């Protein structure tokens, strides 16, 4: 079953549900050209830039889209917000970027950092994850910047430029509940909480980042600003 497309390649779970297959479209015909090494039962396959994310019954692994080989993953670092349910901490690299039992994989955003690395924000159920894929001729591996169980379901994400971190909204209660609210969290790339804006209304919030330059006789602060809907009929501006 094909679940994601990268260029002219189709990626999905094979009938055995223990491998990921890649098919190519050539001359209007589909042919299977690659298959991954055996994995635990595959639950979901998603594309993330120059990598393929695979959620299995054991955890999340990241595959090279050209070879379907697993990128070795650096061991998990503890978030500065507190201890999370992390396993496999040590000095070696493992096949799985994140270990654990999860039901749903959501990929929010991927951004290119430089010619050989990209950063991806994703969620496994309530757990929000920021990871960086390094891919060059000298070395290919995944670094998990942090994984953090959030207070609510992650709904929208904005990866900020440079080392400013990430903005993520989470929802409390169900969207049709009269007490439904969302909160906006500003997290560093190490998972440190840098700011919080509570009691937002229902999204989408449509984050719009804009860098303002200094202007004579203007009181508005120069630098990176993020504009977004507050869910109550207004527009907010956050200076970072």
């Amino acid at each position: 079953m094909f679940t994601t497309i990268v260029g002219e390649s189709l990626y999905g779970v094979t009938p055995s549900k223990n491998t990921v297959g890649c098919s190519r479209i050539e001359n209007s015909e589909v042919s299977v050209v690659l298959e991954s090494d055996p994995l635990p039962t595959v639950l979901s396959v998603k594309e993330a830039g120059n990598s393929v994310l695979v959620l299995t019954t054991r955890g999340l692994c990241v595959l090279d889209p050209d070879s379907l080989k697993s990128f070795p993953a650096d061991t998990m670092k503890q978030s500065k917000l507190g201890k999370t349910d992390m396993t496999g901490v040590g000095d070696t690299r493992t096949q799985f970027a994140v270990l654990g039992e999860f039901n749903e994989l959501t990929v929010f955003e991927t951004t290119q950092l430089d010619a050989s690395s990209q950063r991806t924000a994703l969620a496994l159920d309530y757990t929000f994850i920021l990871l960086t894929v390094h891919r060059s001729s000298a070395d290919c591996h995944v670094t998990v910047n942090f994984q953090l169980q959030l207070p609510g379901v992650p709904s929208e994400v904005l990866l900020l430029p440079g080392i400013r971190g990430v903005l993520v909204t989470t929802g409390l209660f169900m969207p049709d509940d009269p007490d439904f609210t969302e909160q906006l969290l500003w997290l560093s790339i190490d998972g440190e909480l840098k700011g919080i804006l509570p009691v937002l209304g229902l999204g989408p919030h449509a984050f719009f980042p804009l860098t303002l330059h200094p202007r004579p006789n203007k009181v508005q602060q120069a630098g990176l600003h993020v504009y977004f809907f507050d869910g109550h009929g207004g527009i907010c501006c956050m200076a970072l």
Side-chain angles (χ1 to χ4, degrees):
M1 179 177 65
F2 301 118
T3 59
T4 191
I5 301 174
V6 182
E8 296 182 346
S9 299
L10 308 175
Y11 296 88
V13 186
T14 61
S16 68
K17 295 186 178 181
N18 290 114
T19 60
V20 172
C22 171
S23 295
R24 298 274 167 78
I25 304 174
E26 296 180 357
N27 299 322
S28 301
E29 295 184 357
V30 179
S31 59
V32 178
V33 294
L34 286 174
E35 189 169 336
S36 71
D37 294 330
L39 297 165
T41 301
V42 176
L43 303 177
S44 181
V45 178
K46 297 288 180 68
E47 172 269 337
N50 63 3
S51 61
V52 176
L53 305 182
V54 181
L55 177 62
T56 74
T57 51
R58 190 182 174 193
L60 178 75
C61 60
V62 183
L63 304 184
D64 183 338
D66 295 331
S67 65
L68 288 186
K69 299 294 184 182
S70 296
F71 284 118
D74 291 335
T75 52
M76 188 60 210
K77 296 180 180 180
Q78 180 172 325
S79 168
K80 293 182 180 180
L81 281 180
K83 187 175 181 181
T84 56
D85 294 331
M86 295 174 294
T87 54
V89 176
D91 297 325
T92 61
R93 291 177 175 176
T94 65
Q95 179 185 19
F96 290 89
V98 179
L99 288 172
E101 296 182 2
F102 304 95
N103 296 312
E104 186 173 354
L105 164 64
T106 304
V107 179
F108 290 106
E109 186 177 354
T110 296
T111 185
Q112 198 73 27
L113 299 179
D114 53 42
S116 62
S117 60
Q118 68 173 29
R119 183 165 291 147
T120 297
L122 62 108
L124 298 175
D125 299 340
Y126 290 87
T127 301
F128 183 71
I129 298 163
L130 191 67
L131 57 81
T132 303
V133 176
H134 309 272
R135 190 183 186 199
S136 68
S137 58
D139 183 32
C140 295
H141 69 280
V142 178
T143 298
V144 179
N145 298 96
F146 69 83
Q147 74 176 64
L148 178 66
Q149 188 167 351
L150 297 179
V153 180
S155 54
E156 289 181 70
V157 169
L158 175 66
L159 289 173
L160 299 171
I163 58 173
R164 289 184 174 93
V166 57
L167 298 179
V168 54
T169 56
T170 65
L172 301 176
F173 308 108
M174 298 299 292
D176 56 355
D177 191 299
D179 296 322
F180 176 83
T181 61
E182 289 191 330
Q183 56 188 339
L184 174 61
L185 306 176
W186 178 19
L187 304 171
S188 73
I189 58 173
D190 296 320
E192 179 182 4
L193 180 63
K194 300 176 70 66
I196 181 171
L197 180 63
V199 201
L200 293 177
L202 180 65
H205 300 286
F207 294 123
F208 179 71
L210 180 66
T211 299
L212 299 181
H213 301 286
R215 298 176 62 187
N217 304 321
K218 296 294 183 180
V219 297
Q220 190 168 21
Q221 179 182 352
L224 178 64
H225 293 67
V226 178
Y227 296 85
F228 57 94
F229 295 113
D230 64 2
H232 301 293
I235 297 177
C236 292
C237 176
M238 178 183 293
L240 301 175

